[in-house]
């Protein structure tokens, strides 16, 4: 059991609530046909292919144009503000099957969750307290796999 679990820290209360709360930050892309029974969705967005854990339930995600809230959990200690001397351009790299790292602009901060635009909007949660970041800051980050995807209709 993790320290966060022992402390009772949660990032969402329900799939529907989470998707509704962050629907305004859904990424627009293409869902590819899924293999029957696979919990992963293949989502083409911002010139990348992300494999996200389907949080919307079986058969909610149909192939074709789609809007997904892409949610990742930050690797401990990976979030930091960039200095004026560092490259502040939006960047996103896929790590392994379902992790990412990048640079982006903070669009929203709420409790232990922030929304970062790094070629696409990302909802990034942390089980540890977030460092002092505010809307408009440019940050660098890394997530632990898997990314989660919430279909928004």
């Amino acid at each position: 059991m993790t320290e966060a679990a022992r402390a009772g820290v949660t990032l969402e209360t329900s799939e529907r609530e989470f998707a509704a709360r962050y629907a305004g930050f859904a990424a627009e892309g293409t869902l590819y046909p899924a293999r029957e029974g696979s919990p992963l969705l293949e989502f083409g967005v911002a010139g990348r292919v992300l494999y996200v854990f389907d949080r919307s339930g079986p058969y909610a995600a149909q192939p074709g144009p789609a809007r997904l809230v892409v949610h990742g959990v930050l690797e401990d200690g990976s979030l930091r503000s960039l200095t004026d001397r560092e490259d502040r351009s939006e960047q996103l790299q896929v790590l392994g099957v379902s992790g990412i790292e990048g640079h982006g602009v903070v669009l929203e901060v709420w409790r232990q969750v922030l929304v970062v635009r790094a070629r696409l909007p990302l909802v990034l949660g942390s089980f540890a307290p977030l460092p002092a970041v505010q809307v408009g800051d440019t940050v660098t980050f890394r997530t632990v796999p898997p990314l989660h995807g919430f279909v928004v209709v």
Side-chain angles (χ1 to χ4, degrees):
M1 180 179 282
T2 67
E3 290 297 319
R6 278 194 282 278
V9 176
T10 61
L11 300 177
E12 60 186 65
T13 54
S14 77
E15 292 85 355
R16 286 185 180 164
E17 179 274 334
F18 191 87
R21 166 86 171 89
Y22 294 103
F25 299 107
E28 295 185 22
T30 302
L31 275 175
Y32 295 101
R35 185 178 189 122
E36 183 69 30
S38 173
L40 292 180
L41 300 174
E42 189 174 359
F43 185 50
V45 60
R48 306 285 185 271
V49 175
L50 303 178
Y51 290 91
V52 298
F53 183 72
D54 182 2
R55 295 298 303 277
S56 300
Y59 312 111
Q62 297 299 311
R67 296 179 61 232
L68 261 67
V69 174
V70 178
H71 172 52
V73 175
L74 292 165
E75 183 178 283
D76 286 346
S78 73
L79 181 71
R80 69 174 179 83
S81 293
L82 294 176
T83 67
D84 290 334
R85 294 182 188 173
E86 293 178 278
D87 180 4
R88 297 166 65 93
S89 63
E90 292 182 21
Q91 299 177 25
L92 186 69
Q93 292 82 37
V94 176
L95 302 174
V97 173
S98 189
I100 53 174
E101 70 179 359
H103 299 170
V105 177
V106 176
L107 303 177
E108 181 175 301
V109 180
W110 189 69
R111 295 186 183 177
Q112 289 179 244
V113 178
L114 67 154
V115 178
V116 175
R117 185 184 65 238
R119 298 181 53 103
L120 66 133
L122 300 161
V123 179
L124 303 174
S126 176
F127 289 111
L130 292 172
V133 295
Q134 56 189 352
V135 172
D137 287 353
T138 303
V139 296
T140 186
F141 62 88
R142 179 188 294 246
T143 67
V144 296
L147 294 172
H148 293 226
F150 299 80
V151 175
V152 175
V153 280

